């Protein structure tokens, strides 16, 4: 991690960002939360997700994402979409985006170029990053949702370990 190391007692705030906030980023937040709970760190790490676009504000996660998640023991039923806002750049310690479009859209809201060091592609944490994008499954078939879940599972597991290490949480 390139972000400054905060005091070990501080809460670490992690935000996941995609386009619609109904497929990739809510899943990443929920799967990451499971890893954090398994590590006993749920009181130390705050987790949220949002989308760069406005279309799904207040909406539940996509039923295809929810179905695949449910099959794997991840509950997304309480999720409601929200849109990324410039203040998120200051609020969160780490902002993980799903693809390069998300990266550009988030950085475009960093008016003073102050927070770019916090913003990274989630797939940098994947052992097999391919093109570093978590592919948008929205317009594809069920196999795309299973593939996204596999990628998110690998990357967020590694992320939980890295954050625990970087912030001295265990
Ligand atoms: P997400 O997928 O960014 O992973 O939530 C999408 C959801 C909705 C749309 C695009 C991508 N959309 O165009 O409405």
């Amino acid at each position: 991690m390139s972000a400054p190391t905060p005091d070990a007692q501080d809460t670490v705030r992690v935000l996941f960002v995609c386009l619609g906030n109904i497929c990739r980023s809510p899943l990443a937040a929920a799967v990451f939360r499971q890893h954090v709970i398994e590590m006993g760190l749920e009181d130390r790490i705050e987790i949220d997700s949002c989308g760069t676009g406005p279309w799904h504000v207040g909406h539940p996660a996509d039923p295809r994402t929810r179905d695949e998640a449910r099959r794997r023991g991840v509950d997304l039923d309480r999720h409601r979409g929200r849109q990324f806002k410039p203040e998120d750049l200051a609020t969160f310690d780490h902002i993980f985006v799903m693809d390069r479009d998300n990266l550009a859209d988030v950085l475009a809201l960093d008016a003073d170029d102050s927070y770019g060091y916090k913003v990274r592609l989630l797939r940098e944490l994947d052992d097999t990053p391919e093109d570093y994008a978590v592919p948008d499954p929205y317009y594809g078939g069920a196999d795309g949702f299973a593939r996204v879940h596999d990628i998110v599972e690998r990357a967020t597991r590694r992320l939980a370990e890295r954050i625990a290490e970087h912030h001295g949480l265990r």
Side-chain angles (χ1 to χ4, degrees), residues 18-26 55-56 136-139:
C18 63
L19 178 60
N21 193 217
I22 56 171
C23 297
R24 294 166 292 174
S25 64
W55 314 286
H56 297 289
D136 185 347
Y138 189 66
Y139 293 106

Side-chain angles (χ1 to χ4, degrees), residues 142-161:
D143 56 333
F145 288 83
R147 180 154 179 264
V148 162
H149 199 115
D150 289 341
I151 294 167
V152 161
E153 164 63 34
R154 288 198 301 269
T156 58
R157 182 176 295 279
R158 173 69 58 82
L159 177 60
E161 289 163 3

Side-chain angles (χ1 to χ4, degrees), residues 56-116:
H56 297 289
V57 171
H59 295 184
D62 187 289
R64 299 163 296 176
T65 297
R66 289 164 68 187
D67 287 349
E68 184 64 34
R70 196 177 302 113
R71 265 195 288 280
R72 305 197 198 201
V74 179
D75 179 3
L76 284 177
D77 289 353
R78 284 177 302 283
H79 171 76
R80 293 296 178 269
R82 80 161 176 92
Q83 188 172 15
F84 182 83
K85 51 186 188 295
E87 303 86 79
D88 290 326
L89 286 159
T91 302
F92 289 88
D93 301 298
H94 302 285
I95 298 173
F96 285 94
V97 298
M98 301 298 131
D99 62 34
R100 287 186 169 79
D101 287 341
N102 308 151
L103 185 64
D105 289 343
V106 166
L107 293 179
L109 294 175
D110 183 10
D112 298 324
D113 278 343
S114 303
Y115 298 111

